[in-house]
Amino acid sequence: MPTIETEEQAIPAVAGERPGQRANAADRHVGARIRERRVMMGLSQQQLAKLIGVTYQQAHKYERGLNRISAGRLFEIGQVLGVPVSWFFDGLTSENAGPEASPRQRMCLELARNFALIDNEKHQEALSQMARALAAQSQAERGAS
């Protein structure tokens, strides 16, 4: 039986990262911004940790981008540091962002997702045969023109 990818699995990894890594480039960027703001305010990691209710080690991991920060925790950090949540993302760029998917690419993805949702193997095989037949017909029509 086919498995269905989750949205997280379908998102391409940032260059140089392995799928399944706990933190990514965005996490490291947000961590660096937390450290930058903390230093600007003259706070130590211990002080920040106490203000947001985590251990020093956890605050350190957040700043290094080793652990992901939940939305609620990031909101709390923003309040403590006196900045909106969006401030932590300023300057973040997606180096691997390519052009948006074309309508045809979106249709292919939708087709694949829907195919994976079909539980009946006979129905899947019938759909696969129909796709092969339609593709062969298209190829024959291209060759004839």
Side-chain angles (χ1 to χ4, degrees):
M1 180 164 348
T3 58
I4 301 171
E5 277 189 356
T6 64
E7 281 188 326
E8 279 184 65
Q9 291 169 326
I11 297 171
V14 174
E17 290 189 349
R18 296 180 313 278
Q21 265 187 314
R22 188 153 172 83
N24 64 27
D27 299 312
R28 289 187 293 274
H29 177 83
V30 168
R33 295 287 284 171
I34 291 171
R35 177 179 172 84
E36 178 184 340
R37 182 65 180 170
R38 175 184 60 77
V39 170
M40 284 171 50
M41 294 185 68
L43 294 172
S44 67
Q45 277 186 338
Q46 291 89 346
Q47 290 170 320
L48 176 62
K50 187 174 183 177
L51 289 169
I52 62 172
V54 299
T55 64
Y56 156 79
Q57 291 88 350
Q58 186 62 49
H60 178 75
K61 288 178 180 180
Y62 285 157
E63 285 191 4
R64 297 278 318 274
L66 299 174
N67 284 6
R68 291 196 161 165
I69 305 170
S70 70
R73 177 77 68 206
L74 190 58
F75 179 77
E76 187 177 0
I77 293 169
Q79 287 187 316
V80 166
L81 297 178
V83 293
V85 171
S86 61
W87 186 88
F88 298 109
F89 298 94
D90 286 350
L92 181 64
T93 59
S94 179
E95 296 175 9
N96 67 332
E100 250 188 61
S102 70
R104 183 182 177 109
Q105 289 170 320
R106 284 193 294 275
M107 194 182 324
C108 287
L109 288 171
E110 183 181 5
L111 179 63
R113 283 187 199 110
N114 289 332
F115 182 87
L117 291 173
I118 299 170
D119 289 332
N120 187 313
E121 287 184 29
K122 288 184 180 188
H123 290 164
Q124 284 183 331
E125 182 57 36
L127 186 56
S128 182
Q129 287 177 5
M130 183 178 73
R132 276 193 294 274
L134 290 172
Q137 181 182 353
S138 291
Q139 291 295 330
E141 289 173 0
R142 279 190 206 151
S145 40

